[in-house]
Structure formats: C-alpha cells, structure tokens
Amino acid sequence: MSKSTAFSWIRPEPWGIHIVPADTWVDPGRAVERALVTHGHADHARGGHGETIATPATLAIMDLRYNTREGAVGVEYGETLRLQGGVDATFFPAGHVLGSAQVLLEHAGERVVITGDYKRRPDPTCAPFEVVPCDVFITEATFGLPVFTHPPIEEEMAKLLGALEANPDSCVLVGAYALGKAQRVIAELRAAGHHAPIYLHGAMEKMCRLYEEHGVPLGELRLVSDHEKDDMRGSIVIAPPSALNDRWSRRLPNPITAMASGWMRVRQRARQRGVEIPLIISDHADWNELTRTIAEVNPQETWITHGREEALLRWCELHQRKARALALVGREDEDE
Amino acid sequence: MKAFAALLDALIYTTSRNRKLALVADYLRTTPDPDRGYALAALTGELDFPAVKSSTIRNLMADRVDPVLWTLSRDFVGDTAETASLLWPEDDISEASDVSVAKVVERLSGLNRNTAPGELAKLLDGLDSNGRFALIKLATGAMRIGVSARLAKTAFAQAFDVNVEEVEEYWHALSPPYAELFHWAADGGDPPNVSNVPRFRPFMLAHPLEDGTVDLAEYAAEWKWDGIRVQLVRVAGETRLYSRSGDDISASFPELLDVLPMDAVLDGELLVRGAAQGGEEGGAASFNALQQRLGRKTVSKKMLKEAPAFVRLYDALIIEGEDLREQAWEARRKALENLVPRLPDSHFDLSALVEARDFTHLAEIRETAREEAIEGLMLKRRDSAYIAGRKVGLWYKWKRDPLLVDCVLMYAQRGSGKRSSFYSDYTFGCWDGDPDNGAELLPVGKAYSGFTDAELKKLDKLVRQTTLNRFGPVREVERTLVFEVAFDSVHSSKRHKSGLAMRFPRIHRIRWDKPVHEADRIETLRALIKD
C-alpha cells in the first residue's frame, strides 16, 4: 500500500477498488452495498449488489446475465453522478464492448480515471474510447507485453473469409467470447461484405438480440440447433471458446477451428488450443495502444490493475513515469 | 521466403499428420529448385550455420529492445525465434521484394561470427513478422514445428509418388539441396548413384512387447545391451559410424575407423569396456561410462585408453558386397557368426543368444537383467528379413521393469513449445536423512513426462499456488507433493549435490495423497547404483 497521503480516498483492495468517502466499489468481485460497474464481463460485473451504477447498456447486459434489476442506476456517457462524501463520478466510453465505460472520479480537486477494459481500435458495436485527462490513471494491462500488437481487423477478416472460400464443404467454427467479441466479429464480417446467414451456438443468441435492440445490426443469424449439418457447409459458425473442442462441435460439417482472440498473436497459444486459423482480434488495448494512451492521458501516476503489469511498469520506468501495480484477483481473461 | 514462411505457419497450426504431409508435399511439388531442396533440408534439420547461434539472436535483440521487456516477453512466448520475430522493429517493408530460400541459405552460409549479426539484421529488416520467424528458425536450426525428418521424407515420397524407404537409402549419401534426388523423383531421371559412399541404411526397430508373449520356436532372444545402437559401414576401404538417427558419429570413436577388415554394413551396440554389464570377461561398462564419450569432436589419448569402445554385433546387412537384408534372420545370424572370427576381438564381439526352455523360463532369465545392469531382452522373428522401420510382429523389445522411488517436488520450470506457459519440467528430491529429524531434501532428478494433459494443468496450478521463489522461468515450490518416479538406472555423479544421476526418469504416478515425509531417502537410491 502506498504511504503517500495523496489519492488516499481511493483504495485498491484485492477484490476491487474502494472509493472510501462514498463507500462505493468499482467492479468489486464480491457483493457490496454500492458498486460502479465498468462493463458486463463476468470478471467485472456480478449480481447481488445493493445498488449497481452503470451505463444503461451495461445494466441491460447485467439484467440478462445476473437478473440485476433492483437497485440499478443508469448513467449515460458524459453524465455526472454525485456520490456521498463529495465524490463525483462521470462515465466515458471505453471502446471495449457495448456499454463499456471508464469512470472519472473527482474528489478534493483530484481526478482519478479507472479504465476498466478498453481498446482504441474502431469497433462498429460500441462507442469509441475517449482520452480523459486525470491525475491518476488506473489502467488495465491484459496485453501489456511488447509482443502483443493487434493487426488491422481487415487482415483478420480476409484470413477468415479466405479459409471459408477455400473449404466449401466445411464450416469455419469461430471461437469468440459471447459478450462483445462475437458481435464484433459478426459486424465486421458484414462490413467486409459477407451477408450470408451466420450460425450461432445457443449461448450467443440472447446477447446478439440485445445488441440489435441497442442499435447494432447483425444481419441474418441462425441457430445451429435449428439446422442440419449440410445446411451449414460453407458457412461461418460462432460459438464460445469453450465449445470449440467440445462434443457440441460434432454436429458441424468438418469444422475448421478458428479463434478470435488477442492471445492468438502467440503461435504456441493457438496450438495449445488446437486452433487452425488464429484470428488476432482483441477487445483490449495492445501494447502500443496501452503506452500511447498513458502518454496521451499524461497522468501524474499510473496504476496498473491486471494483466502483464511487470512490462508496463518497466515501460513507465523507462519513460520516467510514476507507476505501481495493483494485484487485483480474478482478472485473468484467457478467453478474452 | 514468403512461401516457406507460409508453409511453416500452416504446419504449426495443423495437428493432423495427413494434412501436414499434404502441406509439405504440395510445397515440394510447386516450389522450384533449389528452393524446395533447401526447404526440405531445413525441415529435416540438415542445415547448419555455425556462425548463427541462439545467442546471436539474443544479442541482436539486446541492441534493439530493453532487456527487461525482452526477458518478460521471451518468458511468456516460450520461443526465442518467435519473440524476436514479434519484437523486431519494423520499418516499411516493400511488398514486392521476396528473397528466395536459396539466396538466404547462400548468405547464411557465408557468415562468420563477426559478419553474422550485421548480415542477419539486414535480412530481418526485409521481412515481415512471419518471414522473420521463418528466417530465425532456418538460421538457428531449431525448428520445433511438429515435423520430424521422417515426416518430411514421407511427404517427399508422397509428393512424387516414390517409395519412402528408397528415399531413405539415398538420403544420407546426398546433401542439400538434393538436386539428384529431385531429378530422380520429380523429373523421372536416373536414381542417384550412391554406391561408393559409406552411407547409412535405416535401422530395423522394435516394438515394446507390453503384456504379450511369443513362441520361442518362432522368435530368438538376445540381450538388449545398454549402450547406443550403431551401424558401422565400410565401403571401398572407408569406414563410418552412424547413430540410430543416422548421424555420423565417426569423429567421436576414431578407434573403430580402421579395424573392420572388409567392406560391410553391420548393426550392433556401441559399448565401452568395463565390468558392469555381463560380468568381468568381455564385459561392458555402464551407459554412464559410454556417455562420457558421446558428442565429442576430438578424443584424448587418455580417454581412448581408459574407456575404449567396441561394438557388440547384432546383425549384418551387407557383407563384402552381398546384401543380406532380404534373407531371414536365421541366415543373417549364421553369416554374422561366420564373420565374427575374422574380426579383431579387441573391437568386436557377438551378442550372444539367450537360450530358454520356454517363455516362462525366459521371463525368469529377464528378471536377472537388473543384476547384470542390462536393459532387457530383444525378441526377433527367426524368418524375418531386415526391414527398415518398426514393423509390427517382427522385433520386440522387452525391457526390464523400471525402478520406482518416491520423491518430493522441489522446483518447476516452464516448458517450451506446446507447453510454453505451463510449468511442466519438474525437479524432485529425496531426503538426506530422517525427515522427522531435520533432514533436508536434495534434488535427485528432473522429469517432464509421464503425466496427462489434465494432470499437467493441475500440476501447473499447484506450482503457481505454492510458489516460494522465482528464478526466471524456474519456480521453487513448497514441499507438498510426492511423485512416484520411474527410472531405468541410477549412477554416481559429481555434477549433482546428491551425488546421483538417474537415467530416464519419468513421473510414474502423482501421489496427491502421500505426505512428503514418507518420500524415500537418498540412501535408498544409492543402494541401487551399479556402476
């Protein structure tokens, strides 16, 4: 724990970040009285809080996943909420998934930004990240190693569509996280001119519908369970990563396994998962985005919440930036 | 280089053997000479650029990337070539230029230690990330992409519809880019002329017997000696010694290069004189003694005197121009028995047959193999020809049962390749006294096999949860877990603090249930030494 008295109203604990004067937690890993939630992924959002403060889209996602209805307080991007103890909270887009937000906290003349998860690349399914100047920048570091540079998504789409074209008797099974990644892949496929029906694993259906209700068109989607093997030849099928090597995939026609994840940058990671077509598509900032963002935000201090914090700490040191690592538990996202 | 880089990439992501074969075959069919020849050499590990070492790559990176960021990245990725290919600073690469594999090989061959860094940097500058990966793999020779030399040769045979055994026959007499081989297979030219080269012939290999039995009327039994399998070849007066994989190891054993009095191709066990195996008379030393002589480029006189090597003969493939391989084992054995008296007994003897009344009797004899420090028995079908490779039903190896000892997990190291990011290499120890009376654990060995993928995950988790110290890729863990370790033999060693070295240790069982103070003591292991 830092001995400095500045910013002492913000206290990182292993299960979340505590805003002390407001007795409010950001993305707590256990049920609390009052929580600010940056986005709907399970390592940030959970049910059971007394009061849940989040963007309307995040609340809709939490309602779908955790039945969060009671005590839900919606805050639009740019809107400021006065918490108790003289703390102001403002939500800004984080560009990670639908509804994802960074939280700006202001207290006693000090500004702290908590990014949650974020990325800087354009994404047709969510609002783009905004640079919010602050004194303390609390950033993620999921891909905080210089080996992680995400290529332009157009290249990855070309790889996927190329494989589809080369294997007309097979389907290409794409492993993609059910919230965010799946919808982004679909939207980017549409943008690349692929208008054929896309088949979904049952676990994807409701989230896709939710995205469409929030103004993200996804084109014609079909459920795998409603169709015969032969219908799916030459098609793209999207499933959660856990289903890739599961018995579930036996109902597909000669599936070629692809996976959309930032981890696919590392060949052996792809091999470990038995992936034949690695698609380097991530909803997190890559190394260059992480370092560029710290430079642009230009805070007095950078706090690093989770991921490969050692390398990002080293980068801060090399660039004479004050930084520290917060060891938050339960924030390791293998499926990303 | 683009096509070659794409091939490597595709091979890495392909798990099916048939699809790997198809990928390589397709590349060999569609790529012009001499590029395909050099690519084939790269896949089979036949290229060697002594000026380029793994350290050359690391030094290049040290000039370009912060050392801490390099180490963290390398540690995460688990492969130096891949890490370097990802971290190499990228300027604009002109799309149109594509340097050929042959050109790359030519430039790499011309390097010395002084010119290597600069030239390598120039090559890397002209390539994209995939190309850089392929170049570094090619230059350092450590492919590790899940393609064995055998698979590459099989793909060659498949590409041009020729017999893979015939490819093997020519292979060791030719060198990259194998122009004669492609001329023969791809263009229907004459077969390569290899008659005057002392070349390697693929070995006939054995399957483990497992739990089966055989009829001794059909199979002959002989000892499986604990040395290394070698092939001694003399053609036109020139002798060469080959290891099981076909590597030329003549330089390490000069005493065997002028003692064969006639042209022949002989199959046997390379051993060092001593008393551990088969008693005092004509006996052989333990594998430990032989190991001191392996891998040496030059051999001292002292070494030749103290640990002289000889070959215990198993089989004869060719004697004075007569190819015996098509003949039955019995006929070849007779020819070998007739040959041995003509050889100097200082450097040759005959591996004796093991006579038994029946299989049960043979099993009893096998039990004594441990006392004799012999690896076990070989069973050979009496009517079988000498057939390269491992054909079911012809030869069996029936190893003595392994020794077992209970050890405690002390350190774990991250694996590489497919296991990078998993703690998969385990160092374990035994107590140097009474564990309830202040004894300490001393490391006795290291193993990285014998467990399932599911167990690996569980072990990896345990290592992460019980870490005491980190030393780069190694973690010291709390002493909580007992491994039942299987090993073939144990020898005294000055290299280790425990004074012991195990041979072929592997995890036999993970004893999640066993308390660590019940693990074995060093003295138990020491009693098993047979040096």
Side-chain angles (χ1 to χ4, degrees):
Chain A
M1 196 71 7
S2 166
K3 289 211 175 70
S4 104
T5 52
F7 315 116
S8 60
W9 53 279
I10 281 276
R11 193 170 296 165
E13 301 286 356
W15 57 88
I17 294 171
H18 193 197
I19 311 164
V20 182
D23 194 20
T24 300
W25 294 79
V26 180
D27 292 351
R30 50 171 80 160
V32 297
E33 200 43 51
R34 191 178 302 104
L36 292 175
V37 176
T38 59
H39 66 282
H41 281 147
D43 51 340
H44 294 258
R46 50 158 296 149
H49 303 313
E51 202 174 289
T52 305
I53 304 165
T55 62
T58 297
L59 288 174
I61 290 164
M62 291 179 73
D63 185 19
L64 181 64
R65 293 189 145 190
Y66 316 110
N67 288 314
T68 305
R69 220 160 285 171
E70 239 170 86
V73 180
V75 186
E76 298 288 346
Y77 291 132
E79 194 183 325
T80 300
L81 191 74
R82 164 72 38 118
L83 304 173
Q84 61 184 22
V87 180
D88 285 343
T90 313
F91 283 56
F92 292 92
H96 177 56
V97 296
L98 180 69
S100 68
Q102 322 169 59
V103 185
L104 165 68
L105 299 166
E106 293 170 285
H107 177 67
E110 294 175 333
R111 289 163 63 89
V112 175
V113 166
I114 301 171
T115 64
D117 292 337
Y118 78 94
K119 71 169 174 290
R120 303 293 302 269
R121 309 290 170 111
D123 178 343
T125 68
C126 63
F129 179 93
E130 289 176 24
V131 172
V132 183
C134 59
D135 304 308
V136 172
F137 186 57
I138 305 184
T139 179
E140 65 138 322
T142 306
F143 290 107
L145 273 178
V147 290
F148 289 112
T149 51
H150 308 325
I153 196 160
E154 293 76 15
E155 283 179 20
E156 304 307 287
M157 286 297 131
K159 219 195 277 179
L160 174 54
L161 292 171
L164 190 67
E165 204 179 291
N167 297 280
D169 291 333
S170 305
C171 70
V172 180
L173 170 61
V174 183
Y177 202 72
L179 163 54
K181 189 69 60 66
Q183 295 77 21
R184 182 175 172 213
V185 168
I186 297 169
E188 291 287 358
L189 278 169
R190 300 310 188 203
H194 181 77
H195 299 294
I198 291 173
Y199 291 84
L200 297 181
H201 184 282
M204 304 270 170
E205 187 194 11
K206 285 181 179 162
M207 196 58 78
C208 287
R209 202 179 298 146
L210 185 147
Y211 262 65
E212 294 206 286
E213 284 162 12
H214 282 77
V216 181
L218 298 176
E220 188 182 348
L221 303 177
R222 294 176 179 173
L223 278 181
V224 168
S225 53
D226 293 345
H227 291 268
E228 296 298 317
K229 227 180 210 184
D230 282 340
D231 299 349
M232 294 181 271
R233 288 187 200 281
S235 298
I236 290 174
V237 179
I238 301 191
S242 59
L244 289 189
N245 305 315
D246 189 44
R247 270 185 312 189
W248 175 83
S249 62
R250 288 185 200 160
R251 68 188 72 193
L252 304 175
N254 304 324
I256 297 167
T257 309
M259 168 113 170
S261 159
W263 301 116
M264 295 298 110
R265 173 50 94 184
V266 176
R267 287 178 173 81
Q268 299 298 353
R269 282 295 179 111
R271 270 183 93 173
Q272 280 165 6
R273 302 203 63 139
V275 170
E276 293 162 287
I277 304 168
L279 303 171
I280 310 165
I281 301 175
S282 174
D283 286 330
H284 291 269
D286 69 7
W287 173 257
N288 294 329
E289 293 169 55
L290 288 168
T291 53
R292 187 185 102 210
T293 304
I294 293 172
E296 285 177 12
V297 172
N298 195 20
Q300 289 175 40
E301 287 186 29
T302 302
W303 297 1
I304 304 163
T305 57
H306 61 287
R308 256 110 306 263
E309 59 269 10
E310 290 152 296
L312 204 53
L313 274 179
R314 174 65 178 175
W315 182 87
C316 289
E317 187 191 333
L318 291 173
H319 292 79
Q320 276 109 48
R321 291 189 170 276
K322 199 171 168 192
R324 58 186 276 221
L326 319 175
L328 298 190
V329 294
R331 296 270 170 84
E332 184 67 15
D333 197 355
E334 280 294 318
D335 286 341
E336 190 264 317
Chain B
M1 221 30 205
K2 275 182 187 157
F4 179 63
L7 172 69
L8 289 195
D9 224 34
L11 286 171
I12 284 171
Y13 297 123
T14 305
T15 45
S16 138
R17 184 182 150 85
N18 282 340
R19 281 174 65 180
K20 280 184 188 180
L21 285 171
L23 282 167
V24 177
D26 195 45
Y27 175 89
L28 293 176
R29 263 194 308 265
T30 55
T31 306
D33 289 318
D35 263 34
R36 57 183 176 183
Y38 285 118
L40 186 60
L43 293 176
T44 51
E46 302 277 332
L47 292 179
D48 184 25
F49 306 107
V52 186
K53 301 247 181 324
S54 191
S55 61
T56 318
I57 307 296
R58 284 199 302 275
N59 292 338
L60 278 177
M61 295 313 294
D63 296 339
R64 287 162 176 81
V65 179
D66 173 66
V68 176
L69 292 178
W70 163 260
T71 305
L72 289 168
S73 299
R74 166 66 185 76
D75 201 23
F76 181 87
V77 174
D79 183 294
T80 298
E82 180 162 15
T83 313
S85 74
L86 290 170
L87 292 184
W88 189 260
E90 203 163 276
D91 298 323
D92 283 330
I93 300 155
S94 64
E95 272 294 313
S97 72
D98 184 20
V99 57
S100 71
V101 177
K103 186 84 199 159
V104 167
V105 168
E106 186 193 313
R107 283 173 70 176
L108 291 173
S109 308
L111 299 181
N112 60 44
R113 225 189 276 175
N114 295 326
T115 56
E119 286 297 310
L120 208 55
K122 267 188 233 162
L123 280 169
L124 286 166
D125 278 336
L127 295 165
D128 65 5
S129 158
N130 275 354
R132 292 193 293 263
F133 178 74
L135 173 68
I136 299 172
K137 286 285 179 192
L138 183 77
T140 55
M143 284 284 180
R144 287 204 307 208
I145 51 165
V147 175
S148 65
R150 178 73 183 177
L151 187 139
K153 290 172 202 165
T154 308
F156 177 93
Q158 191 173 304
F160 306 112
D161 199 20
V162 292
N163 185 322
V164 66
E165 302 309 339
E166 212 173 333
V167 175
E168 286 275 16
E169 285 256 5
Y170 302 136
W171 186 265
H172 292 274
L174 304 173
S175 53
Y178 313 111
E180 308 93 318
L181 198 66
F182 280 98
H183 178 64
W184 160 66
D187 311 332
D190 290 334
N193 181 6
V194 291
S195 58
N196 271 326
V197 185
R199 68 184 197 276
F200 169 75
R201 269 82 173 175
F203 275 111
M204 179 160 182
L205 302 169
H207 277 278
L209 184 63
E210 309 288 352
D211 298 324
T213 62
V214 297
D215 181 350
L216 294 186
E218 290 175 357
Y219 288 83
E222 64 184 312
W223 292 116
K224 185 177 187 328
W225 302 97
D226 195 8
I228 64 167
R229 186 97 177 269
V230 289
Q231 188 175 94
L232 196 66
V233 185
R234 199 189 105 158
V235 171
E238 189 191 345
T239 304
R240 282 190 206 163
L241 187 68
Y242 292 100
S243 73
R244 219 189 82 155
S245 51
D247 292 327
D248 186 340
I249 55 168
S250 309
S252 303
F253 298 93
E255 67 262 55
L256 295 172
L257 301 184
D258 56 359
V259 288
L260 193 58
M262 69 288 290
D263 283 1
V265 178
L266 304 175
D267 178 342
E269 195 84 2
L270 181 69
L271 295 160
V272 163
R273 290 282 175 207
Q277 301 186 51
E280 297 279 343
E281 281 305 304
S286 72
F287 183 79
N288 207 31
L290 173 62
Q291 205 164 30
Q292 313 302 321
R293 293 211 41 191
L294 294 176
R296 290 179 187 274
K297 290 211 172 98
T298 56
V299 192
S300 69
K301 279 198 177 125
K302 183 165 173 267
M303 196 147 259
L304 285 172
K305 191 158 170 272
E306 284 177 1
F310 69 102
V311 179
R312 184 156 287 169
L313 295 165
Y314 290 137
D315 215 323
L317 286 70
I318 298 171
I319 297 175
E320 293 175 319
E322 192 192 353
D323 195 330
L324 305 170
R325 285 177 289 177
E326 293 295 315
Q327 299 186 20
W329 173 85
E330 276 181 321
R332 294 198 313 277
R333 175 79 193 182
K334 187 130 279 164
L336 182 65
E337 284 171 359
N338 290 336
L339 179 75
V340 169
R342 298 170 59 199
L343 306 177
D345 57 12
S346 52
H347 292 93
F348 298 97
D349 64 17
L350 182 66
S351 176
L353 298 181
V354 178
E355 301 296 343
R357 290 187 301 278
D358 51 30
F359 194 78
T360 316
H361 183 210
L362 188 66
E364 284 166 26
I365 295 173
R366 171 176 166 270
E367 292 297 311
T368 66
R370 169 69 55 197
E371 282 307 305
E372 301 286 346
I374 296 167
E375 249 195 300
L377 289 169
M378 291 294 299
L379 298 163
K380 299 181 176 175
R381 220 186 136 86
R382 295 174 189 273
D383 60 2
S384 158
Y386 191 97
I387 295 172
R390 199 175 263 125
K391 201 163 175 233
V392 178
L394 303 184
W395 283 12
Y396 290 106
K397 52 186 169 192
W398 193 20
K399 285 201 186 186
R400 67 192 177 200
D401 295 327
L403 297 163
L404 297 173
V405 66
D406 285 338
C407 303
V408 181
L409 173 63
M410 299 177 72
Y411 302 92
Q413 183 171 355
R414 278 202 227 191
S416 51
K418 208 176 168 184
R419 282 170 165 186
S420 68
S421 89
F422 281 108
Y423 285 90
S424 62
D425 297 8
Y426 309 106
T427 299
F428 38 80
C430 286
W431 299 105
D432 65 356
D434 182 355
D436 296 323
N437 247 323
E440 281 182 49
L441 285 165
L442 292 180
V444 296
K446 192 173 174 181
Y448 40 85
S449 64
F451 37 84
T452 64
D453 285 355
E455 284 172 329
L456 173 60
K457 277 190 185 163
K458 225 171 142 187
L459 288 168
D460 178 71
K461 198 170 165 199
L462 175 98
V463 169
R464 289 169 193 275
Q465 283 170 348
T466 61
T467 299
L468 294 173
N469 280 303
R470 298 180 192 204
F471 313 96
V474 177
R475 289 190 181 199
E476 181 179 9
V477 296
E478 283 174 47
R479 281 43 161 163
T480 60
L481 184 66
V482 175
F483 286 140
E484 187 175 271
V485 176
F487 57 101
D488 280 13
S489 57
V490 59
H491 304 278
S492 48
S493 160
K494 293 191 185 82
R495 276 216 306 258
H496 305 281
K497 201 179 164 192
S498 61
L500 299 167
M502 285 175 160
R503 189 138 183 258
F504 294 140
R506 61 265 184 198
I507 310 294
H508 192 245
R509 269 196 303 169
I510 305 169
R511 296 295 305 265
W512 301 102
D513 57 311
K514 192 158 188 165
V516 292
H517 67 261
E518 288 180 20
D520 280 308
R521 300 190 194 179
I522 299 273
E523 62 208 58
T524 313
L525 266 174
R526 196 165 289 136
L528 299 170
I529 295 179
K530 290 239 182 320
D531 274 334

